[in-house]
Amino acid sequence: MNAPLSRPLVDRFGRTVSYLRISVTDRCDFRCVYCMAEEMSFLPKREVLSFEEIETIAAAFVARGTTKLRLTGGEPLVRRDIMDLVRTLGGHLGKGLDELTLTTNGSQLAKNAEALARAGVRRINVSLDTLDAERFAAITRRGRLADVLSGIEAARGAGLELKINMVAMAGVNEDEIEPMMAWAHGQGMGLTLIEGMPLGEVGIDRVDTYLPLRELHDKLTRRYTLTRIDKRTGGPARYVHVSETSGILGFITPMSHNFCESCNRVRLTATGQLFLCLGQEDQVNLRDALRDGGMEGLDAALDRAMLIKPKGHDFVIDRAQPQPTLGRHMSMTGG
Ligand code: SAM
Ligand code: SF4
């Protein structure tokens, strides 16, 4: 039976917030060139929300109608004892919460896959930009492709449904889009392509590597039969079915297609800031609201948040504006 709903979270534009992404850590064992700088300074541990605080905030969201939680980061599986949090959050499944999922780089998946499945996780996203070991090492700066591939194997073995997320970059991995699609679809996994977003100072030139996915989509239609499908996962991707590979291909196109009008998401950082938009600064400090005002304070902060959720982002990738649109990295707001 569903938990009784108190006031649902509806913003000024009538959009209902039903999806919370939680960044459980800003740390990561990789340094992907589009996501982080080589040298990153991470948050002191004392500034990071405790599991108890994350659980309280997540429970407040579920009580107000959130049906989907996604754990992300940084790399969620590098946070110590992360499975304790996953198990507790899994306790909300069927009691207001429909889905608990995570986005991972896969490096620690081999040892966690079974436990994730036991905690009620059914689907996960694994980020993988290439199947070439050297290229993988160059893009992630620290990662080993073999670890991720064995993580993917373990996750499939545990019965998890997998989707591969690939940041498509001109001159970097553009030539692998079709092979990746054949590989992923051949194993029953979806593939979603993501346009690089201008978040934080990183290790690549975003103008040179920017690959407009709308053009790529049109190019693919010359070789493949793409049928638009109305698959909604609660996220921003648009999906097509590819007849030749019998699989699903997703496009996340924040730069060339503005998906804000249907946005149902908010993001909690590891320090308890609730960001109302991936591409804007509007935020509410839920950690202070909870610490100073308890559950009532938290509830009031959620109401305030609904009043300031912006209409949309203003991402630009442009030679005339070489600085990132936002100073913060994706690893802070969790992608
Ligand atoms: N570490 C986990 C991972 O890599 O899956 C979770 C966090 S990561 C920030 C979430 C997603 O954001 C990944 O799929 C990653 O490829 C993507 N990402 C990171 N920086 C990005 C950027 N500047 N533009 C587009 N996608 C980005
Ligand atoms: Fe880490 Fe994920 Fe960012 Fe890569 S994309 S550096 S794996 S947080």
Side-chain angles (χ1 to χ4, degrees), residues 34-35 72-75 103-105 127 167 195-197 206 330:
Y34 48 76
C35 179
T72 176
E75 172 47 41
T103 302
T104 173
N105 66 21
S127 304
V167 176
E195 276 177 358
M197 288 175 251
R206 290 208 170 95
M330 188 75 126

Side-chain angles (χ1 to χ4, degrees), residues 266-281:
V266 290
R267 298 174 156 84
L268 184 67
T269 69
T271 56
Q273 296 293 335
L274 186 72
F275 276 93
L276 285 320
C277 171
L278 182 60
Q280 302 282 5
E281 296 290 356

Side-chain angles (χ1 to χ4, degrees), residues 50-209:
S50 67
F51 281 171
E52 205 183 342
E53 287 170 320
I54 295 177
E55 285 154 16
T56 305
I57 292 171
F61 269 93
V62 174
R64 295 195 63 178
T66 291
T67 55
K68 179 165 174 173
L69 294 177
R70 177 179 297 279
L71 302 184
T72 176
E75 172 47 41
L77 296 180
V78 302
R79 178 146 177 190
R80 186 191 292 225
D81 298 328
I82 183 66
M83 290 314 304
D84 291 347
L85 178 69
V86 176
R87 274 187 287 273
T88 312
L89 296 179
H92 291 284
L93 287 165
K95 300 175 197 151
L97 186 66
D98 294 338
E99 181 167 32
L100 173 62
T101 182
L102 88 162
T103 302
T104 173
N105 66 21
S107 68
Q108 315 292 316
L109 201 47
K111 60 174 186 255
N112 287 303
E114 285 286 348
L116 286 169
R118 276 198 305 275
V121 173
R122 293 287 165 262
R123 299 189 302 167
I124 60 171
N125 291 353
V126 178
S127 304
L128 181 61
D129 304 318
T130 175
L131 289 170
D132 178 280
E134 269 179 40
R135 220 179 239 188
F136 184 87
I139 293 174
T140 63
R141 294 197 186 105
R142 312 234 162 134
R144 279 183 2 114
L145 178 64
D147 295 341
V148 177
L149 294 180
S150 57
I152 289 174
E153 266 318 296
R156 295 179 65 219
L160 297 175
E161 192 184 315
L162 270 82
K163 184 161 74 74
I164 303 295
N165 280 349
M166 173 182 189
V167 176
M169 291 165 278
V172 178
N173 63 355
E174 188 179 359
D175 57 336
E176 277 195 82
I177 291 172
E178 291 181 45
M180 281 283 271
M181 184 167 83
W183 171 79
H185 290 177
Q187 300 186 70
M189 304 186 290
L191 174 70
T192 293
L193 304 172
I194 307 176
E195 276 177 358
M197 288 175 251
L199 297 170
E201 284 294 345
V202 292
I204 48 166
D205 182 331
R206 290 208 170 95
V207 180
D208 284 350
T209 57

Side-chain angles (χ1 to χ4, degrees), residues 26-36 73-75 104-105 127 140 330-331:
D26 64 329
R27 290 167 197 259
C28 188
D29 49 348
F30 292 1
R31 295 287 182 279
C32 301
V33 288
Y34 48 76
C35 179
M36 291 194 184
E75 172 47 41
T104 173
N105 66 21
S127 304
T140 63
M330 188 75 126
S331 52

